[in-house]
Amino acid sequence: MQHDLIAQARTWLAEDPDPETRDELGALIEAGDTDELAARFAGTLQFGTAGLRGELGAGPMRMNRSVVIRAAAGLAAYLKARGQDGGLVVIGYDARYKSEDFARDTAAVMTGAGLRAAVLPRPLPTPVLAYAIRHLGAVAGVEVTASHNPPRDNGYKVYLGDGSQIVPPADGEIAAAIAAVGPLADVVRPEDGWEILGEEVLEAYLARTDAVLAPGSPRTARTVYTAMHGVGTSVLTAAFERAGFPAPVLVTEQAEPDPAFPTVAFPNPEEPGAMDLAFATARRAAPDLIVANDPDADRCAVAVPDTSVEGGWRMLRGDEVGALLAAHLVERGVSGVFAESIVSSSLLGRIAEKAGLGYEETLTGFKWIARVDGLRYGYEEALGYCVDPGGVRDKDGITAALLVVELASVLKEQGRTLLDLLDDLALAHGLHATDQLSVRVEDLTVIADAMARLREQPPTALAGLAVTSAEDLSRGTASLPPTDGLRYQLEGARVIVRPSGTEPKLKCYLEVVVPVADAASLPAARARSAELLAGIKRDLAAAAGI
């Protein structure tokens, strides 16, 4: 066994084109570190609907140039098998470790395979790549990013020519093509022959961002902005300037790209502590709101002044921002379909119904939301918003920021705030309060065991609320294809449990709906919702054994 492992590692080492990972793997072989080698060679990183994502390092279970070259060769073979030889593949990348190398390798493989390749001019937000695919008439797009994952991760996200991320069966077919790739020496990789795009593609994207705003709308709200050490600053500030908003006050410590993400444990606005510097900047600058992007700027977080919380600033939940943007679009008189994933708040459906608009629920992820026929607006609770599906068929943290600052400006002119509008929505539709129980694990069997336990012994009540139905979503439903998840309906509440598709996490999404008779009843409704959410979280953790 040990001899086989060392032999496997030496075979990989002989093919590895990267001096850095060659040295790393060579040292592990030299040291006879069979535990670490076994982890690196326990299989291969699986290509799925999120593409690839994993920790950087040598070996088939890590993100590295060898893995990326194979992925690119498989994608090229898939495209050619569908008659797209000579088609354009556009490639974007963020500012993480190795991102530019992976982008260049992808361009070389595409060129060597007889496709045309074009690389964005520099590290740019993921939505710029999603926009460029349709703008340039590409047959596919690749974004090298690990979004908001830890610093040592990177990833590889694939879009097809419709500008949306891949869904089944394309993911499985591409995975099979990757598995069929032979020795790396047989993958043709020329030194040049692809195009490095100019700033024109970014200019075209920025020109499109204006379309999300209402002509002549107020543009007065003042913001503090953080890019969370990612690639958002230059694009967001340019978009704000074009729109005529006041220049945002930057969180200077996090404004420039830095793959080490030195000021945060996890570069995700949802994680504890990630917004501390933004809150500190806001206490000095006294803006109307805080806007944050994640490192590849496809997500948008919002925080507002709130005297009732310590520090005077409160992060809005993704569901709250999702409802606010929906209400703003309804007020502007838009038409079309509103869509969200099943893990997001049911409030969107109520807003759409009252406005006479279409509404659809999808599986988790914008790869599904973006495919809804007639989509006008889509959102997901994990801070993702698609506000211009005609331009970007994916979540876009830049245009979402523009729309939320427009809304804050409209309310400011009325002497009101985003919190006032949330109160209005609670009075109109009931208080919809959401929370999440999220457990990060080292050992993935913990997640599998928790899901198995819940399937075998589903809870009959949570926080004293009877479970009225329990659905195993792996069997599919009348409106949803199968997915690994569980959905519980309770009296006045809903719970969904699923493994994360991009991180080693078990995620449980909780929602309670509390009727509100009048404005005076809001504090009691909030207290009741907090009590119920805490009880559901406690009882669900016990039921899942986590």
Side-chain angles (χ1 to χ4, degrees):
M1 175 68 181
Q2 183 173 331
H3 180 268
D4 290 349
L5 187 60
I6 297 291
Q8 201 179 349
R10 289 194 190 282
T11 300
W12 184 275
L13 180 66
E15 282 197 324
D16 192 339
D18 188 334
E20 194 175 322
T21 45
R22 275 206 312 272
D23 290 347
E24 179 188 316
L25 186 54
L28 291 174
I29 295 169
E30 187 69 27
D33 190 342
T34 50
D35 287 349
E36 184 61 25
L37 287 171
R40 306 290 185 100
F41 288 86
T44 58
L45 271 188
Q46 289 304 298
F47 185 94
T49 49
L52 293 167
R53 200 175 287 187
E55 186 180 345
L56 291 162
M61 287 295 289
R62 298 287 185 268
M63 280 296 293
N64 52 63
R65 290 183 60 200
S66 297
V67 164
V68 164
I69 289 165
R70 288 182 179 280
L75 175 59
Y78 169 86
L79 294 171
K80 290 175 71 175
R82 276 146 191 79
Q84 292 173 325
D85 209 350
L88 175 67
V89 178
V90 61
I91 302 152
Y93 59 100
D94 66 11
R96 285 179 175 266
Y97 296 118
K98 297 286 183 183
S99 285
E100 190 171 2
D101 293 345
F102 295 165
R104 187 176 58 248
D105 281 330
T106 301
V109 171
M110 295 300 163
T111 304
L115 293 147
R116 293 180 295 125
V119 183
L120 293 184
R122 52 191 166 87
L124 287 168
T126 293
V128 177
L129 180 276
Y131 168 80
I133 293 165
R134 287 197 294 164
H135 175 66
L136 298 172
V139 298
V142 171
E143 177 70 17
V144 181
T145 181
S147 188
H148 56 276
N149 276 38
R152 287 301 304 169
D153 286 5
N154 213 329
Y156 199 81
K157 188 183 288 190
V158 175
Y159 299 75
L160 294 181
D162 62 356
S164 300
Q165 296 176 52
I166 53 170
V167 294
D171 57 341
E173 291 165 357
I174 295 169
I178 293 168
V181 174
L184 281 194
D186 295 346
V187 178
V188 180
R189 289 184 291 128
E191 293 293 317
D192 52 35
W194 57 89
E195 180 184 0
I196 304 294
L197 295 164
E199 295 294 315
E200 301 82 13
V201 68
L202 177 60
E203 278 304 310
Y205 167 81
L206 285 169
R208 177 84 198 190
T209 61
D210 298 348
V212 305
L213 302 173
S217 62
R219 312 280 166 96
T220 54
R222 296 170 52 253
T223 57
V224 157
Y225 171 72
T226 176
M228 207 65 66
H229 297 296
V231 297
T233 298
S234 64
V235 179
L236 181 128
T237 52
F240 271 45
E241 184 178 359
R242 289 180 68 100
F245 288 117
V249 176
L250 301 181
V251 179
T252 53
E253 302 94 329
Q254 298 174 335
E256 294 304 314
D258 186 337
F261 304 106
T263 68
V264 290
F266 290 95
N268 177 356
E270 294 177 294
E271 293 282 351
M275 294 289 286
D276 287 356
L277 285 170
F279 293 152
T281 304
R283 284 190 282 272
R284 293 192 300 271
D288 298 299
L289 72 166
I290 298 170
V291 170
N293 287 140
D294 67 338
D296 69 327
D298 63 352
R299 298 171 194 241
C300 177
V302 179
V304 294
D306 186 343
T307 54
S308 72
V309 299
E310 187 181 348
W313 281 86
R314 175 165 83 84
M315 268 277 285
L316 296 181
R317 300 192 67 84
D319 284 318
E320 292 176 310
V321 177
L324 288 168
L325 292 178
H328 181 44
L329 290 170
V330 166
E331 185 66 25
R332 279 180 29 185
V334 303
S335 59
V337 177
F338 283 7
E340 63 179 340
S341 62
I342 57 171
V343 299
S344 304
S345 171
S346 59
L347 178 54
L348 184 70
R350 291 185 166 90
I351 292 170
E353 183 182 16
K354 187 171 182 182
L357 297 173
Y359 167 74
E360 277 201 41
E361 251 188 348
T362 74
L363 292 184
T364 310
F366 272 82
K367 58 185 175 282
W368 298 108
I369 294 170
R371 286 182 155 72
V372 168
D373 285 342
L375 181 68
R376 176 56 185 86
Y377 167 64
Y379 99 89
E380 190 156 69
E381 55 74 44
L383 311 181
Y385 314 94
C386 175
V387 301
D388 177 26
V392 176
R393 287 187 183 171
D394 200 359
K395 55 187 178 290
D396 182 347
I398 304 296
T399 50
L402 288 171
L403 197 63
V404 81
V405 179
E406 178 186 59
L407 171 57
S409 299
V410 169
L411 293 168
K412 185 178 181 179
E413 299 290 299
Q414 299 168 356
R416 304 175 73 234
T417 67
L418 295 174
L419 293 180
D420 292 329
L421 181 52
L422 284 172
D423 287 351
D424 291 350
L425 291 171
L427 290 169
H429 305 287
L431 178 67
H432 289 63
T434 58
D435 201 357
Q436 193 179 123
L437 171 62
S438 181
V439 182
R440 187 180 290 273
V441 301
E442 293 292 326
D443 180 1
L444 290 175
T445 61
V446 172
I447 294 176
D449 290 347
M451 294 297 289
R453 183 169 174 166
L454 288 170
R455 283 190 168 103
E456 288 160 16
Q457 296 177 299
T460 56
L462 297 169
L465 302 176
V467 174
T468 56
S469 74
E471 290 175 280
D472 186 344
L473 299 176
S474 67
R475 298 179 183 139
T477 73
S479 57
L480 297 170
T483 187
D484 187 8
L486 301 164
R487 178 163 59 182
Y488 305 112
Q489 300 290 350
L490 297 88
E491 293 172 353
R494 183 212 65 198
V495 173
I496 293 177
V497 184
R498 60 180 281 272
S500 169
T502 55
E503 297 177 271
K505 281 183 176 181
L506 181 68
K507 297 180 119 175
C508 311
Y509 305 85
L510 325 175
E511 179 177 39
V512 299
V513 183
V514 179
V516 183
D518 50 38
S521 309
L522 273 169
R526 289 209 171 87
R528 175 62 176 156
S529 69
E531 176 191 345
L532 285 171
L533 287 169
I536 292 171
K537 196 182 282 193
R538 178 193 64 238
D539 292 353
L540 184 63
I546 54 174

